[in-house]
Amino acid sequence: MSLTMTTSPPPSAPEPARVERSLTARILGRPEVGALAAAIAIFIFFFAVAPSFRTLPAFSTVLYASSTIGIVAVGVALLMIGGEFDLSAGVTVTTAALASAMISYQFSLNMWVGIIVSLAIALGIGFLNGYLVVRTGIPSFLITLSTFFVLQGINLGVTKLVTGTVATANVDQLDGFAAAKAIFASDIPLGFITIKVTVIWWALFVALATWILLRTRTGNWIFASGGNSDSARAVGVPVPKVKIGLFMGVSFLGWFLGMHLLFNFNSVQSGLGVGNEFVYIIAAVVGGALLTGGYGSALGSALGAFIFGMVTQGIVYAGWDPNWFKAFLGAMLLLAVVVNLYVRKYANQRR
């Protein structure tokens, strides 16, 4: 008689329980929370101290000032999330506007020819920046700083050579100008308020960038590339293509703003835009983007730009000396970094 011994498999280890973050932690973990709180506080402050700030025309002016920063800041925020910087964004705006104006005017072409050629030039600048960064391994700070000086010299030198002055000729008589102005620089009456079309475009760009970051595979690639590029490569993320695409995105938005400036003022100064690259970065950082990459949001950059617009106009409406603005801008940047760091640590503790 034989006995059959049966052994039961050892009990499997219980799966680790999924830790659900509290609602407070999830809200505080959003990159734009600090910027939202700052925007509300600054709005209340200027609403209280500057009576002119309370009017609808003043609010329209604030939105316009914010949009001229926010359009490019959206691309800069995505680039920073991807772990890179672009210090040539400000002069790229001017390069695109100058190229469009001079090509169309000097050769007596339809305005749209200059617009398309300037778009190709802007995208080429972005591609070159991105290609050099991923090909050489040189930090983007140095690559784009070099591009900044090159473009600044070209803008001044070529404009002076072609026009004999430091500004382009007035292009409002060229064919295609009216149609281009309607797209890039028209006024939109809403009945109770009139806003610039750049405000609409700004909102659309923010919405598109938010959708890309949160709802697409490309958005995951951007976060992964900025968080840890080596790990991202190991799991199949095309890091070089992502970074080049982000640089080209910044250049595209710079081109768009350049077209607005051209068709809003009919002419462009060759020294325009110098220094704005730092304002775009500040808007992104105030909106929650980390200098180390891998964290941030498009909506946060919009809030950062809105803060910038409120401060620039609020100081004027309050009747204060505008020379204090730069000091406020530096203090706001430092405060934003400290607040964002504190909020993230607090959110992690509230898990």
Side-chain angles (χ1 to χ4, degrees), residues 32-46 286-287 303-304 306-307 310-311 328 332 335-336 339-340:
E32 58 272 4
V33 168
L36 177 60
I40 294 172
I42 291 173
F43 180 85
I44 293 173
F45 174 76
F46 281 114
V286 169
L303 290 170
F306 184 57
I307 290 172
M310 283 195 293
V311 173
F328 179 86
M332 183 173 63
L335 182 62
V339 169
N340 289 335

Side-chain angles (χ1 to χ4, degrees), residues 59-311:
F59 185 66
S60 174
T61 304
V62 168
L63 286 178
Y64 172 63
S66 303
S67 69
T68 58
I69 297 300
I71 286 175
V72 184
V74 173
V76 170
L78 265 63
L79 181 63
M80 291 180 65
I81 295 171
E84 305 294 345
F85 291 92
D86 190 349
L87 296 181
S88 65
V91 290
T92 298
V93 173
T94 310
T95 299
L98 291 171
S100 180
M102 288 190 289
I103 289 171
S104 296
Y105 186 85
Q106 301 301 324
F107 295 100
S108 300
L109 300 174
N110 188 288
M111 201 67 242
W112 285 98
V113 175
I115 292 172
I116 294 172
V117 173
S118 67
L119 175 59
I121 292 172
L123 293 177
I125 293 170
F127 175 83
L128 182 61
N129 281 337
Y131 180 79
L132 290 176
V133 168
V134 302
R135 188 71 175 176
T136 66
I138 298 173
S140 55
F141 178 90
L142 296 176
I143 294 290
T144 58
L145 182 62
S146 301
T147 306
F148 165 83
F149 285 116
V150 170
L151 291 180
Q152 186 181 14
I154 289 175
N155 290 347
L156 292 168
V158 173
T159 305
K160 189 69 177 293
L161 179 66
V162 173
T163 68
T165 66
V166 294
T168 64
N170 194 313
V171 296
D172 64 351
Q173 299 301 314
L174 295 179
D175 293 339
F177 178 88
K181 183 178 178 66
I183 293 175
F184 294 107
S186 61
D187 295 324
I188 307 295
L190 300 179
F192 63 97
I193 191 175
T194 298
I195 61 174
K196 278 287 186 182
V197 71
T198 50
V199 177
I200 306 297
W201 283 113
W202 176 35
L204 291 175
F205 288 139
V206 171
L208 176 61
T210 300
W211 176 76
I212 290 173
L213 282 177
L214 302 181
R215 293 290 184 266
T216 69
R217 182 172 60 176
T218 301
N220 293 332
W221 288 351
I222 293 172
F223 282 110
S225 298
N228 190 320
S229 59
D230 292 333
S231 298
R233 287 189 182 93
V235 297
V237 175
V239 175
K241 291 182 180 179
V242 170
K243 290 183 181 288
I244 291 174
L246 290 173
F247 276 105
M248 294 179 71
V250 173
S251 294
F252 169 78
L253 293 171
W255 164 82
F256 191 94
L257 180 60
M259 294 305 97
H260 163 72
L261 295 176
L262 173 61
F263 295 109
N264 194 51
F265 300 107
N266 305 340
S267 178
V268 181
Q269 295 283 335
S270 57
L272 186 69
V274 176
N276 281 351
E277 56 280 341
F278 295 109
V279 177
Y280 305 143
I281 293 174
I282 289 172
V285 172
V286 169
L290 294 182
L291 297 175
T292 52
Y295 187 80
S297 75
L299 180 58
S301 73
L303 290 170
F306 184 57
I307 290 172
F308 180 90
M310 283 195 293
V311 173

